[in-house]
Amino acid sequence: MKGWFATLNPRERIMVGGGGLLLILALLVGSWLSFSSDVERLREVVSEQRAISQWMENAALEAAQLRKASRGQRHASAGGASLLSLADQTAKRSGLGKAVTRVEPDGTDKVRIRLERASFDKMMRWLEELQSKHAVSINSITVDQHQDSGMVNVRLTLKGP
């Protein structure tokens, strides 16, 4: 390559050297412009990600506050009563008082209940009330049909909020 360059006359050497210099300069400018546009795009992405992160933090705080308020309402709706007494009282209010044959605790947050010859419709309304108003869920349930129409025998375990 040096030999070829040496064979050129001075005017051609200047033109080849100047062309090479312009080529290098064009590559540097092109690289710089590409780099700077990438940097700008990344700055925008970071800004968007920070906004999303801030929104998520605010949403998490709001969710925690709502969860805390919801727990307070659930406990207030239960009147601070234990799950055992809550289940017994609501069963009586639902017209299942005579059908309840056994109510016993099962650990700290569960209650086992046995109903004999209970109205299926009343039992379903009672369970819906426990779930919707008191955040009590059914852990397990066994329903057997009684010989009388519309009546059932039930063994269930309720889990408190």
Side-chain angles (χ1 to χ4, degrees), residues 1 3 20-21 27 30 35 38 53 68 75 82-83 86-87 107 111 113 137 142 151 161:
M1 184 75 139
L21 188 62
L27 288 174
F35 175 74
D38 286 347
S53 175
K68 190 175 182 180
H75 292 307
S82 69
L83 180 59
L86 176 68
V111 173
I113 301 173
S137 60
T142 304
M151 300 301 214

Side-chain angles (χ1 to χ4, degrees), residues 114-131:
R114 185 167 180 99
L115 304 171
E116 300 280 336
R117 201 174 176 275
S119 165
F120 180 78
D121 294 337
K122 288 180 182 179
M123 181 205 56
M124 292 304 291
R125 278 189 230 108
W126 171 60
L127 292 175
E128 192 279 327
E129 176 190 347
L130 284 172
Q131 191 275 326

Side-chain angles (χ1 to χ4, degrees), residues 3-135:
W4 171 79
F5 191 74
T7 61
L8 298 175
N9 65 37
R11 183 181 266 180
E12 290 174 334
R13 284 184 201 163
I14 292 173
M15 290 191 56
V16 169
L21 188 62
L22 284 176
L23 178 65
I24 291 172
L25 188 62
L27 288 174
L28 286 175
V29 168
S31 296
W32 177 257
L33 290 175
S34 174
F35 175 74
S36 79
S37 70
D38 286 347
V39 167
E40 186 59 35
R41 185 182 53 80
L42 289 174
R43 282 186 179 142
E44 290 173 8
V45 168
V46 167
S47 177
E48 291 170 1
Q49 293 297 324
R50 282 185 180 147
I52 290 170
S53 175
Q54 185 63 42
W55 177 85
M56 290 175 86
E57 288 174 8
N58 291 340
L61 287 174
E62 184 178 350
Q65 290 171 345
L66 290 172
R67 199 175 303 122
K68 190 175 182 180
S70 175
R71 284 187 194 137
Q73 288 175 350
R74 287 178 187 166
H75 292 307
S77 68
S82 69
L83 180 59
L84 190 70
S85 63
L86 176 68
D88 189 47
Q89 290 170 4
T90 56
K92 287 177 183 173
R93 278 198 311 259
S94 297
L96 296 170
K98 292 181 181 179
V100 176
T101 58
R102 179 176 290 167
V103 179
E104 59 187 17
D106 184 11
T108 58
D109 65 340
K110 295 180 187 169
V111 173
R112 282 184 289 193
I113 301 173
R114 185 167 180 99
L115 304 171
E116 300 280 336
R117 201 174 176 275
S119 165
F120 180 78
D121 294 337
K122 288 180 182 179
M123 181 205 56
M124 292 304 291
R125 278 189 230 108
W126 171 60
L127 292 175
E128 192 279 327
E129 176 190 347
L130 284 172
Q131 191 275 326
S132 65
K133 292 184 180 176
H134 304 287

